[in-house]
Amino acid sequence: MAITLSESEQESLLEFSIQLAREAGAVILQGSKSIRQELGGSSGIDSKKNSVDLVTEWDVKVEEIVQNAVKEKYPNFGFIGEESYSKGLRPELTDDPTFCVDPIDGTTNFVHGFPFACISIGVIYQRTPLIGVIFNPFLDQLFSALKGHGAFLNLTTRLPLSPPSPLSSLSSALIGVEWGHDRTKELVDKKASSFSRLAGDPAFGVVGGKMAHSIRSVGSAACNYALVASGSLDLYWPWDVCAGIVIAQESGGFASGGPNVNHDGDVTEEILHGRKYIVVRAIADTPGESGREAQKRIVKEFYETVEDWDPK
């Protein structure tokens, strides 16, 4: 029999996730300091896939802390961890509540002490994101959301941080992108070509160029989601999901999947498993277009500009 959650149980689950994120954040800070003290000697740092996407014992340690706490408090809930997921442990998604956790999102930043690394804790319920908590301990920024209750920074400041403004096209946008860990020639060429068209000026030979205001690479998918929810980034083209989706949606943002899905704002199980995502900030209504229509237009323009590829 499927587990059902009352309104009060959902709120308690959010409180638990927030507390757990703060506890894990303290470990992340400890780990980053330890790693940086060891750099230059025999650091004990292992490479996950290449030098760009470093993984340390701390990544696994944080996931174990979170998973053990979840098992103790919610023994019948599912659990999907980024580290275990990447090793092929992929439990089937059901209607029961399932924690979806990236213990240290932004591991390269974590190793270098670049202050954009965080823990991301999401809860999927009835096959759709319900709760999102993103905590960046380096900046002491906690982003949280419960579906239907809004998104907040540090529990009290509602997101977005300022009233939404219009967004006429990609040429007016600040866009978040990432190179990712896969640096094969095929994928790097596709991303480089996509980034070139996003940033390039068509008046000076960049065919299909959108001349966006600029593009940013923060190095953490979850932190980028939080920036979109805050209104600081207009658009992000991510690979990671769940916690960020809830926070973005509850701030008025629009989240969807890859170029071939139905972009109606409904994040389905197909999108969750698809590993291709896009998120757009809240956009103000204008006399000729609603904010939601503008978000869909921006998604369409974006996918007409970039190249598609399959994630590995």
Side-chain angles (χ1 to χ4, degrees):
M1 185 175 179
I3 299 172
T4 58
L5 296 174
S6 67
E7 188 77 14
S8 62
E9 288 172 331
Q10 293 178 23
E11 293 172 356
S12 295
L13 187 55
L14 174 61
E15 292 173 3
F16 169 81
S17 301
I18 289 171
Q19 180 60 34
L20 186 55
R22 288 199 177 278
E23 292 173 3
V27 179
I28 290 172
L29 287 179
Q30 177 188 357
S32 180
K33 181 178 179 180
S34 175
I35 289 295
R36 285 183 287 123
Q37 286 176 340
E38 294 175 3
L39 285 175
S42 177
S43 65
I45 300 174
D46 296 322
S47 175
K48 182 193 292 183
K49 294 182 179 176
N50 59 29
S51 61
V52 177
D53 195 7
L54 294 168
V55 166
T56 72
E57 62 184 76
W58 294 94
D59 211 359
V60 177
K61 179 182 291 187
V62 173
E63 181 169 315
E64 289 177 347
I65 289 171
V66 173
Q67 187 169 17
N68 290 338
V70 169
K71 284 183 177 179
E72 181 178 349
K73 180 72 173 180
Y74 298 103
N76 296 320
F77 285 18
F79 187 90
I80 301 173
E82 192 273 340
E83 283 306 304
S84 52
Y85 189 91
S86 66
K87 294 176 181 177
L89 300 176
R90 302 180 180 181
E92 180 183 358
L93 195 61
T94 70
D95 285 338
D96 288 338
T98 300
F99 278 83
C100 185
V101 175
D102 192 343
I104 304 177
D105 184 49
T107 49
T108 301
N109 292 347
F110 163 76
V111 168
H112 287 270
F114 186 70
F116 287 91
C118 62
I119 178 166
S120 170
I121 300 177
V123 178
I124 300 171
Y125 176 53
Q126 297 179 342
R127 303 173 191 262
T128 189
L130 172 71
I131 285 171
V133 176
I134 294 170
F135 180 50
N136 179 347
F138 295 91
L139 301 178
D140 195 28
Q141 292 180 332
L142 176 76
F143 299 86
S144 59
L146 171 63
K147 188 176 182 179
H149 292 76
F152 296 87
L153 168 62
N154 293 337
L155 303 180
T156 57
T157 302
R158 187 144 192 161
L159 301 176
L161 296 177
S162 57
S165 59
L167 185 59
S168 60
S169 69
L170 292 180
S171 64
S172 301
L174 182 62
I175 302 171
V177 298
E178 297 292 348
W179 286 104
H181 62 255
D182 186 347
R183 300 300 178 88
T184 58
K185 184 179 187 305
E186 178 184 8
L187 187 55
V188 167
D189 285 350
K190 286 185 176 182
K191 285 195 172 185
S193 176
S194 297
F195 299 166
S196 175
R197 284 196 296 275
L198 289 171
D201 187 346
F204 289 90
V206 181
V207 178
K210 296 297 180 178
M211 203 174 175
H213 271 186
S214 194
I215 57 177
R216 294 287 182 267
S217 182
V218 172
S220 162
C223 287
N224 277 317
Y225 265 106
L227 288 168
V228 171
S230 300
S232 302
L233 278 178
D234 294 304
L235 168 73
Y236 175 48
W237 193 18
W239 291 68
D240 292 306
V241 72
C242 193
I245 282 180
V246 187
I247 295 169
Q249 288 179 324
E250 288 300 308
S251 70
F254 181 88
S256 191
N260 298 318
V261 305
N262 184 19
H263 300 296
D264 58 6
D266 183 18
V267 180
T268 63
E269 185 176 359
E270 175 191 3
I271 290 176
L272 287 174
H273 282 300
R275 298 195 63 214
K276 294 180 182 180
Y277 315 104
I278 190 167
V279 58
V280 182
R281 67 160 171 85
I283 297 178
D285 295 337
T286 61
E289 185 181 47
S290 71
R292 178 50 59 93
E293 289 170 339
Q295 290 168 326
K296 292 181 179 180
R297 171 177 50 77
I298 291 293
V299 169
K300 182 175 184 294
E301 183 184 3
F302 184 87
Y303 278 133
E304 288 174 347
T305 304
V306 301
E307 295 188 37
D308 190 25
W309 61 82
D310 292 323
K312 295 182 180 179

